[in-house]
């Protein structure tokens, strides 16, 4: 029954109970908590149950063979084919008793759905989808039946049936016909229910208007018995006002022409569109592309209230969109996606957003890869099959898409865009546009995906440092803590020979402790300045530790520690950094922006743990740089070096290897810190101070490029000329 979007679920109901209730036709449409299933059957029976995007959906029981469309045809000839309206059935004759059975049957199919044999398989078609492909025509031809569209409408039917749900959020790809399906829903709901408001909002007002115009075309082509009268406007421009209801015409029924009172309208893309109205159905089209002044993560929670009366959900929304780049509406749409996870419900059984989310891979709905029955040609075929446009093929959609990607493998920007437009996973759908990232987005995305979906849970351990026995400036110990501020890669604690080692050195006129593992790695530190900022939040302290090529137990050229946190007190952050440096016995390159922190480092006699500006000789440093170390925050030369350090690191040590230089070809890199990767993806190098992880990680890399050299000891220069004793007539050498 479900071929692409889900799997059959067994043992949900007791077999005897199901049979008994089927016999009595007592299963109710809606969510059944006793079996945790949304029943979309409207005939009182329950058949197979499928899990689709985390929702158990209960189908009606398969009826007797004679009640299934195409039962009288061979399997090879079993295609869904719409029926033409009976000859002679017009608005003038539709009350003639000879048409009443036909009209009654169409109303029943519209309400309860139909079963049809397709290529020998009984398939349940929802009433709404049947209504659409049988009766709603926007163009010259009626749309073809497609199994994947039907499965999406099955999920939508479950959203409508579930009284805990506000609707569906569908992350779509191109050409599946989602806008057409939304038009079908609006027409079906709007022309059968009384006194309802239905609304359309898209990425721009003009786009909303285009969808509305498509709806009007479909409405005007409805058969007479499904088309209520409207307010007299020949071609409505803004709203379709339905004055007279369409009534189910039974035999010899007298039809009372009472006003239907429902209105379908489009709205401009504004933050308060549809706010305050009682909306029965809404289409929020291309909501992953809304303008900055209508951020979708804010707009949804406004319009959501329009689908509610008290604690009851009174309306449903179709939220459908391809996804723009993060900076162009994609980030806000993704936030609602995360809030629509059916596996995370509140005590009322609702997701945070109230929506149920669904994603369909491009391979299931690729134009040109549907066979003549409406199934998707996913895999390669042994023999040629006929497509729905009359072309024979053996190549499935998976191979076709792989071939396109293979041709773009040397063009990262175009490959990224191909994956965005034709996603195989929801991660692909939420990719950023490559041109919106300052670095190699492909590599960053590959690493983020690996960390999120393939990295083992214990690849990172969290914890805090403390001085042994609470005595400062002694040895430092590591304390695992699932809520700790430090994140350390597994197996990346320092070896005993340099852990907690420090030595007193006299350098540049200063006697202070110095680290012993300068040849292994360097911390980068971006400190913050106050315990709490004016808005009550403030920035975070950021610390990274990266290694260089080394012979220790630590990996080469790898980030092994991340700290992106705001300690309860700023002094705790200072102590955190100091303890980390002592524990690893490695120096730091700190942004010269917090003299309180650097004063503490100096006063505690750790001055030689603070590296100097890597772009100056010691004699050329300013007074503060000589006293504290570190490098200026606003220096252009340093800013450029930070950018190129991260850029180079990403190319060599992030994502999948394209060549065998730094690791085996096609292997994934080791960079387990996703929060840092996310900042690298989003950073604007011209506004880098907003990105604390970018600052600290780049300083760490710059510190590893610096070779610390002690200033040469000054020696008294001797007199190169021989001295003589000139007493007397003859000078003698002294």
């Amino acid at each position: 029954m479900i071929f692409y979007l889900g799997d059959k679920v067994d043992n949900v109901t007791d077999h005897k109970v199901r049979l008994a209730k089927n016999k009595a036709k007592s299963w109710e449409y809606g969510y059944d908590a006793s079996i945790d299933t949304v029943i979309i059957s409207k005939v009182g029976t329950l058949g197979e149950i499928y899990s689709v995007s985390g929702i158990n959906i209960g189908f009606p029981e398969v009826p007797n063979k004679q009640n299934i469309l195409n039962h009288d045809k061979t399997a090879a000839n079993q295609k869904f084919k719409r029926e033409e309206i009976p000859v002679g059935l017009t608005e003038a004759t539709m009350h003639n008793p000879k048409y009443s059975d036909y009209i009654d049957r169409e109303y029943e199919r519209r309400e309860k759905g139909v079963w049809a044999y397709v290529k020998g398989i009984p398939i349940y078609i929802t009433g709404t989808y049947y209504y659409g492909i049988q009766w709603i025509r926007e163009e010259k031809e009626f749309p073809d039946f497609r199994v994947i569209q039907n499965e999406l409408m099955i999920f939508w039917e479950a959203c409508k049936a579930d009284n805990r749900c506000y609707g569906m959020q569908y992350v779509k790809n191109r050409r599946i016909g989602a806008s057409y399906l939304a038009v079908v829903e609006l027409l079906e709901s709007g022309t059968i229910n009384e006194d309802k408001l239905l609304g359309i909002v898209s990425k721009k007002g003009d786009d909303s208007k285009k969808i509305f115009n498509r709806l009007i075309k479909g409405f005007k082509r409805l058969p007479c018995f499904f088309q209520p009268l409207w307010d007299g406007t020949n071609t409505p421009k803004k709203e379709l006002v339905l004055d007279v209801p369409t009534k189910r015409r039974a035999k010899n029924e007298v039809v009372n022409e009472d006003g239907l009172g429902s209105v379908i309208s489009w709205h401009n893309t504004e933050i308060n569109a549809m706010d305050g109205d009682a909306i029965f159905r809404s289409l929020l089209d291309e909501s992953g592309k809304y303008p900055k002044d209508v951020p979708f993560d804010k707009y949804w929670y406004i319009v959501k209230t329009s689908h509610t009366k008290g604690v009851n959900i009174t309306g449903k929304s179709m939220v459908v969109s391809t996804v723009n780049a993060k900076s162009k509406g994609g980030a806000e749409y993704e936030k609602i996606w995360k809030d629509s996870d059916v596996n995370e419900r509140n005590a009322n059984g609702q997701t945070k957003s109230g929506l149920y989310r669904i994603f369909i891979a491009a391979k299931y709905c690729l134009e040109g890869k549907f066979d003549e029955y409406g199934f998707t040609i996913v895999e390669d075929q042994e023999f040629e099959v006929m497509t729905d446009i009359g072309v024979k093929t053996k190549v499935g959609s998976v191979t076709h898409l792989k071939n396109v990607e293979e041709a773009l493998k040397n063009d990262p920007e175009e490959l990224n865009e191909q994956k965005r437009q034709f996603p195989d996973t929801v991660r692909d759908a939420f990719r950023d546009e490559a041109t919106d990232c300052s670095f190699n987005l492909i590599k960053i995305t590959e690493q983020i995906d690996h960390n999120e979906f393939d990295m083992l849970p214990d690849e990172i351990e969290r914890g805090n440092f403390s001085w042994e026995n609470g005595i400062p400036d002694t040895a430092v110990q590591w304390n695992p803590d699932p809520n700790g501020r430090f994140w350390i890669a597994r197996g990346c604690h320092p070896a005993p020979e340099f852990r907690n080692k420090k030595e007193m050195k006299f350098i540049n006129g200063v006697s202070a402790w110095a680290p012993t593992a300068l040849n292994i790695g360097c911390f980068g530190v971006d400190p913050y300045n106050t315990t709490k900022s004016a808005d009550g939040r403030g920035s975070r302290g950021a610390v990274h530790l990266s290694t260089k090529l080394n012979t220790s137990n630590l990996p080469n050229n790898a980030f092994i520690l991340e700290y992106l946190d705001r300690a309860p007190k700023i002094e705790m952050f200072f102590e955190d950094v100091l303890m980390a440096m002592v524990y690893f016995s490695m120096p730091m390159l700190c942004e010269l922006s917090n003299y309180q922190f650097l004063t503490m480092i100096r006063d505690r006699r750790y001055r030689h743990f603070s590296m100097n500006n890597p772009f100056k000789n010691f004699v050329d440093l300013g007074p503060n740089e000589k006293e504290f170390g570190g490098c200026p925050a606003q220096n252009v030369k340093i800013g450029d070096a930070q950018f190129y350090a991260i850029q180079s690191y990403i190319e060599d040590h992030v994502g999948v290897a394209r060549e065998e230089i730094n690791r085996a070809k096609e292997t994934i890199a080791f960079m387990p810190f996703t929060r840092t990767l996310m900042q690298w993806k989003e950073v604007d190098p011209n506004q880098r101070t907003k990105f604390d992880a970018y600052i600290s990680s780049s300083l760490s890399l710059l510190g590893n490029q610096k070779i610390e050299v002690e200033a040469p000891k000054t020696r008294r220069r001797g007199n190169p000329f021989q001295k003589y004793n000139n007493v007397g007539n003859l000078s003698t050498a002294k």
Side-chain angles (χ1 to χ4, degrees):
M1 175 64 71
I2 293 292
F3 300 93
Y4 309 114
L5 301 185
D7 300 298
K8 186 178 177 182
V9 180
D10 294 318
N11 303 319
V12 174
T13 63
D14 180 271
H15 181 63
K16 291 183 179 179
V17 171
R18 187 172 69 85
L19 289 178
K21 294 188 72 171
N22 278 352
K23 185 175 182 179
K25 298 188 183 303
S26 59
W27 291 103
E28 295 184 4
Y29 177 82
Y31 176 64
D32 190 323
S34 67
I35 57 174
D36 189 27
T37 297
V38 181
I39 299 173
I40 62 173
S41 169
K42 295 182 178 180
V43 294
T45 64
L46 176 62
E48 293 178 335
I49 298 173
Y50 285 82
S51 177
V52 180
S53 199
I55 303 295
N56 286 346
I57 302 177
F59 288 73
E61 188 177 39
V62 179
N64 294 329
K65 182 177 179 179
Q66 61 269 24
N67 293 322
I68 302 176
L69 300 181
N70 291 333
H71 69 273
D72 54 347
K73 299 177 181 177
T74 63
N77 292 311
Q78 287 174 341
K79 304 174 186 178
F80 180 87
K81 185 177 180 180
R82 66 175 299 275
E83 296 181 28
E84 294 295 335
I85 192 169
V87 176
L89 176 53
T90 64
E91 185 176 2
T93 64
M94 66 180 178
H95 300 301
N96 190 316
K98 72 176 183 177
Y99 298 118
S100 61
D101 288 343
Y102 173 80
I103 294 174
D104 285 348
R105 188 198 69 183
E106 287 304 302
Y107 268 96
E108 184 173 14
R109 289 179 175 180
R110 171 180 176 172
E111 178 186 0
K112 299 176 181 178
V114 298
W115 285 86
Y117 280 114
V118 180
K119 203 178 180 180
I121 304 170
I123 293 178
Y124 176 68
I125 302 172
T126 69
T128 303
Y129 188 50
Y130 171 82
Y131 171 83
I133 57 177
Q134 170 65 29
W135 294 117
I136 297 180
R137 177 172 62 87
E138 297 179 308
E139 300 175 353
K140 183 177 180 180
E141 303 293 336
F142 281 90
D144 293 327
F145 169 77
R146 289 182 174 170
V147 173
I148 191 64
Q149 285 186 335
N150 186 53
E151 292 188 8
L152 178 60
M153 294 304 282
I154 284 169
F155 184 80
W156 168 243
E157 190 66 42
C159 293
K160 290 194 290 183
D162 194 335
N163 60 4
R164 305 168 298 169
C165 176
Y166 282 82
M168 168 181 76
Q169 184 186 16
Y170 169 40
V171 172
K172 71 186 185 74
N173 46 62
R174 298 188 178 282
R175 308 302 297 172
I176 192 176
S179 297
Y180 167 76
L181 297 177
V183 166
V184 169
E185 171 59 35
L186 292 172
L187 283 176
E188 200 285 320
S189 296
T191 60
I192 200 75
N193 292 285
E194 296 183 359
D195 300 319
K196 302 298 183 185
L197 297 179
L198 302 90
I200 301 168
V201 177
S202 191
K203 63 182 183 292
K204 295 180 181 178
D206 286 347
D207 297 292
S208 303
K209 184 178 180 181
K210 288 176 183 177
I211 295 173
F212 180 77
N213 290 340
R214 292 171 59 185
L215 181 144
I216 294 300
K217 284 184 179 180
F219 173 77
K220 293 172 72 173
R221 291 166 176 168
L222 285 173
C224 53
F225 51 87
F226 277 161
Q227 187 186 84
L229 298 178
W230 61 99
D231 65 354
T233 304
N234 186 40
T235 303
K237 303 297 184 184
K238 181 72 175 178
E239 60 181 17
L240 175 62
V241 180
L242 304 172
D243 299 295
V244 181
T246 174
K247 294 285 188 177
R248 183 172 178 175
R249 272 76 169 179
K251 292 180 180 179
N252 302 318
E253 179 184 6
V254 176
V255 179
N256 296 316
E257 299 294 344
D258 297 326
L260 186 61
S262 291
V263 178
I264 307 173
S265 58
W266 67 269
H267 302 260
N268 284 314
T269 315
E270 299 170 346
I271 195 67
N272 293 315
M274 294 191 287
D275 182 26
D277 296 326
I279 304 297
F280 182 63
R281 293 285 184 269
S282 65
L283 166 61
L284 306 184
D285 183 61
E286 296 295 7
S287 34
K289 301 178 179 179
Y290 281 10
K292 290 184 179 297
D293 58 342
V294 190
F296 187 66
D297 58 335
K298 301 293 189 296
Y299 177 67
W300 166 246
Y301 289 107
I302 292 173
V303 78
K304 177 183 176 182
T305 61
S306 299
H307 294 299
T308 307
K309 184 176 183 180
V311 298
N312 297 316
I313 298 172
T314 54
K316 305 283 181 171
S317 183
M318 294 185 89
V319 179
V320 300
S321 187
T322 51
V323 185
N324 255 7
K326 294 287 192 294
S327 62
K328 300 175 183 176
E332 293 79 8
Y333 192 73
E334 186 176 23
K335 185 178 186 304
I336 298 301
W337 173 267
K338 292 176 179 178
D339 289 349
S340 303
D341 186 350
V342 297
N343 296 309
E344 297 181 10
R345 297 177 181 268
N346 62 23
N348 297 324
Q350 297 175 351
T351 66
K352 184 176 180 180
S353 70
L355 299 167
Y356 291 168
R357 67 189 192 184
I358 188 169
F359 165 77
I360 301 176
K363 61 187 176 185
Y364 296 132
C365 45
L366 188 63
E367 196 76 31
K369 293 299 178 182
F370 294 99
D371 69 16
E372 55 188 321
Y373 298 94
F375 290 99
T376 308
I377 307 168
V378 179
E379 303 296 340
D380 292 349
Q381 304 294 302
E382 183 178 359
F383 304 103
E384 287 186 332
V385 297
M386 185 71 71
T387 69
D388 59 350
I389 58 174
V391 176
K392 291 183 178 180
T393 185
K394 293 171 66 176
V395 179
S397 59
V398 171
T399 297
H400 178 88
L401 291 169
K402 283 183 177 179
N403 291 341
V404 174
E405 292 178 8
E406 180 65 21
L408 297 173
K409 67 180 181 180
N410 295 321
D411 190 339
E413 290 189 7
E414 288 300 323
L415 177 59
N416 184 74
E417 192 62 19
Q418 169 69 17
K419 287 178 174 288
R420 285 186 68 249
Q421 298 294 342
F422 299 92
D424 186 53
T425 67
V426 73
R427 305 189 300 277
D428 290 334
F430 282 108
R431 284 172 177 262
D432 252 346
E433 291 180 356
T435 53
D436 284 353
C437 182
S438 299
F439 303 116
N440 189 326
L441 181 63
I442 298 292
K443 285 181 168 289
I444 296 175
T445 301
E446 288 171 346
Q447 195 70 52
I448 291 173
D449 288 350
H450 169 76
N451 292 355
E452 183 176 357
F453 297 98
D454 301 320
M455 190 171 72
L456 297 174
D458 60 351
E459 285 290 332
I460 297 178
E461 55 179 305
R462 293 181 64 178
N464 294 309
F465 291 114
S466 65
W467 297 108
E468 284 188 0
N469 301 315
I471 303 173
D473 304 319
T474 56
V476 176
Q477 63 186 19
W478 170 253
N479 308 303
D481 181 346
N483 298 311
R485 295 182 290 278
F486 285 93
W487 299 42
I488 295 180
R490 182 181 62 181
C492 289
H493 289 276
E497 58 263 28
F498 61 88
R499 184 184 305 176
N500 283 309
K501 306 296 184 187
K502 59 182 186 284
E503 52 189 2
M504 187 64 68
K505 285 190 173 183
F506 186 80
I507 304 174
N508 296 323
V510 176
S511 179
W513 293 112
T516 62
L518 291 88
N519 62 318
I520 296 177
C522 178
F523 287 88
V525 180
D526 180 23
Y528 59 98
N529 290 301
T530 58
T531 299
K532 185 174 287 188
S533 62
D535 64 1
R537 296 181 294 104
S539 62
R540 302 172 297 183
V543 182
H544 283 82
L545 174 59
S546 66
T547 63
K548 43 186 152 181
L549 193 64
N550 69 90
T551 58
S552 75
N553 66 303
L554 300 177
N556 294 317
N557 301 310
F559 280 94
I560 62 173
L561 177 147
E562 179 192 75
Y563 179 113
L564 300 175
D565 213 314
R566 188 174 181 84
K569 293 184 178 180
I570 194 169
E571 293 77 13
M572 290 179 64
F573 169 72
F574 298 166
E575 204 71 24
D576 281 344
V577 178
L578 179 56
M579 288 188 290
M581 290 193 297
V582 171
Y583 182 73
F584 281 90
S585 193
M586 296 182 196
M588 70 170 178
L589 182 58
C590 179
E591 189 171 75
L592 192 58
S593 60
N594 188 311
Y595 290 105
Q596 184 183 357
F597 168 56
L598 293 171
T599 298
M600 184 274 282
I601 295 295
R602 181 201 63 188
D603 292 349
R604 294 272 287 274
R605 301 193 72 186
Y606 289 94
R607 168 62 181 88
H608 301 321
F609 274 81
S610 178
M611 293 181 65
N612 297 322
N613 186 334
F615 297 96
K616 292 183 179 180
N617 294 319
F618 184 79
V619 294
D620 298 322
L621 297 176
N624 288 332
E625 292 176 304
K626 287 181 177 179
E627 183 176 1
F628 299 112
C631 53
Q634 302 301 326
N635 185 284
V636 174
K637 184 176 182 181
I638 292 174
D640 290 344
Q642 288 176 284
F643 174 83
Y644 292 122
I646 295 295
Q647 182 185 58
S648 177
Y649 187 84
I650 290 170
E651 292 297 333
D652 295 340
H653 303 293
V654 172
V656 176
R658 267 59 178 184
E659 299 175 349
E660 293 196 30
I661 298 177
N662 298 292
R663 58 189 182 282
K665 190 175 181 180
E666 300 301 326
T667 58
I668 191 72
F670 175 79
M671 175 45 185
F673 303 113
T674 300
R675 295 182 300 175
T676 299
L677 291 164
M678 292 297 293
Q679 276 209 18
W680 289 352
K681 186 171 77 166
E682 298 167 2
V683 69
D684 178 357
N686 297 318
Q687 301 288 333
R688 60 184 185 274
T689 55
K690 297 180 180 179
F691 301 94
D692 41 25
Y694 168 76
I695 295 294
S696 56
S697 59
S698 59
L699 290 175
S700 175
L701 294 175
L702 291 184
N704 278 331
Q705 297 172 10
K706 172 72 173 178
I707 301 176
E708 285 287 339
V709 179
E710 295 183 25
K713 295 180 180 179
T714 58
R715 294 182 298 175
R716 195 182 328 182
R717 302 181 70 178
N719 189 342
F721 300 102
Q722 181 69 53
K723 292 184 178 181
Y724 292 87
N725 185 352
N726 295 316
V727 178
N729 294 324
L730 183 66
S731 296
T732 58
K734 289 185 177 180

